[in-house]
Amino acid sequence: MASIRLAVPETANQGDVIEIKALIQHEMESGFRRGSRGEAIPRDIITTFECTYNGKQIFSAEFYPAIAANPILTFHTIATENGTLVFTWRDQNGQIWSDEAAIEVT
Amino acid sequence: MKMDKSITLNRRSLLLSAGGAIAITSSPILAMADEADLERARRDLFGDLPIREGRVTVKLPPIAENGYSVPLSVTVDSPMSADDYVQRVAIFSPRNPLPNIAQFHFTPRAGKAFVSTRIRMSGTQSIQAVAEMSDGSLWSGSMQTLVTLAACVVL
């Protein structure tokens, strides 16, 4: 349902600081909006994000309603070894979306 | 005939949304946060420790035409080594419905104390970032952005 787009370099030299971008398609309904008839639209947001590198957490985030729709994050990590980066988003109701990217370190 | 109908519909929906806008401005739900709320939110996250200004650079466009999605980036001056790194960065707003915007957690493996995302802003304001270092010290930085179309209606 929710589409995820990741930008992770496929290869890197060991010790390089690499840039990572992660975007997930989500309304991030703030809970402060009203519909055309004045009725309150209930809040529906992603609250946490986590990125792990071979199982170890390298970066995480907590979102509030002030994060724009389709939240995008740019951050960095040090390329240490061959492996997999796993990206996980969790919404306020506990629903989880996840995707991963492989990286080759030389 | 068909054309006429669609025009009437448009006008009606326009009027409806104008009514909605009035309802929004008079609704108590949308009470905005202020400096005191920001301070309270900051104390909730960081306690009463002193926060020094500096080492934190907040980047926002000087003018945001649309408060619905404003690019924000935060850089903290830190070597990001195993024993001297940024633990977390929290972003606060003095004018949105809620003072909290986001919180980011770093590890030394980040390599670089930088994060960027897109935020909602309900009006011209100065966005503040507070960074907690691995030694527990707190640093802050802020940047003011002029918002021409506030997200308080679109938010």
Side-chain angles (χ1 to χ4, degrees):
Chain A
M1 187 204 94
S3 100
I4 293 171
R5 287 168 78 180
L6 304 174
V8 180
E10 286 170 11
T11 57
N13 294 322
Q14 190 166 33
D16 275 1
V17 175
I18 52 170
E19 186 188 71
I20 296 167
K21 283 175 192 271
L23 180 147
I24 185 165
Q25 204 175 39
H26 193 283
E27 284 297 314
M28 292 296 281
E29 189 59 62
S30 68
F32 296 108
R33 287 201 314 156
R34 285 177 179 263
S36 58
R37 284 166 215 288
E39 78 283 9
I41 303 172
R43 179 169 301 168
D44 179 12
I45 63 165
I46 285 175
T47 49
T48 58
F49 165 81
E50 187 195 43
C51 177
T52 61
Y53 189 156
N54 285 349
K56 275 202 186 131
Q57 189 183 89
I58 49 171
F59 178 85
S60 71
E62 285 145 49
F63 292 161
Y64 294 84
I67 294 294
N70 306 327
I72 180 166
L73 282 169
T74 308
F75 55 94
H76 296 79
T77 190
I78 301 170
T80 49
E81 57 195 351
N82 286 346
T84 315
L85 287 101
V86 179
F87 302 79
T88 311
W89 289 261
R90 183 194 295 264
D91 78 359
Q92 59 184 37
N93 305 315
Q95 192 176 346
I96 289 172
W97 297 274
S98 188
D99 199 1
E100 54 184 61
I103 183 166
E104 195 180 309
V105 178
T106 50
Chain B
M1 264 323 258
K2 252 189 172 166
M3 278 292 265
D4 273 347
K5 200 173 173 192
S6 76
I7 285 166
T8 340
L9 264 178
N10 273 338
R11 194 169 54 194
R12 186 170 301 159
S13 58
L14 248 175
L15 282 169
L16 255 177
S17 58
I22 292 164
I24 281 168
T25 39
S26 56
S27 111
I29 266 197
L30 264 147
M32 294 297 153
D34 55 26
E35 289 291 345
D37 290 314
L38 191 154
E39 235 162 80
R40 205 171 308 125
R42 209 167 50 192
R43 202 168 314 127
D44 281 349
L45 289 182
F46 296 104
D48 285 324
L49 290 168
I51 299 174
R52 276 170 286 183
E53 254 181 64
R55 289 182 72 176
V56 180
T57 312
V58 180
K59 245 191 203 163
L60 283 160
I63 295 178
E65 284 176 9
N66 185 349
Y68 194 72
S69 180
V70 187
L72 161 92
S73 76
V74 179
T75 312
V76 185
D77 176 21
S78 161
M80 291 306 273
S81 61
D83 48 3
D84 184 4
Y85 60 96
V86 179
Q87 271 188 320
R88 59 172 167 158
V89 170
I91 318 291
F92 300 103
S93 152
R95 207 181 152 182
N96 279 7
L98 286 174
N100 299 81
I101 293 181
Q103 201 176 178
F104 307 104
H105 301 267
F106 295 89
T107 65
R109 290 189 57 183
K112 199 171 173 184
F114 169 93
V115 63
S116 94
T117 185
R118 302 181 80 90
I119 65 167
R120 293 172 173 151
M121 293 176 72
S122 65
T124 298
Q125 56 182 304
S126 176
I127 298 291
Q128 191 185 67
V130 176
E132 183 183 22
M133 307 297 173
S134 50
D135 64 1
S137 65
L138 302 173
W139 298 83
S140 80
S142 61
M143 164 126 189
Q144 164 125 12
T145 289
L146 188 80
V147 178
T148 47
L149 173 60
C152 67
V153 182
V154 249
L155 192 79

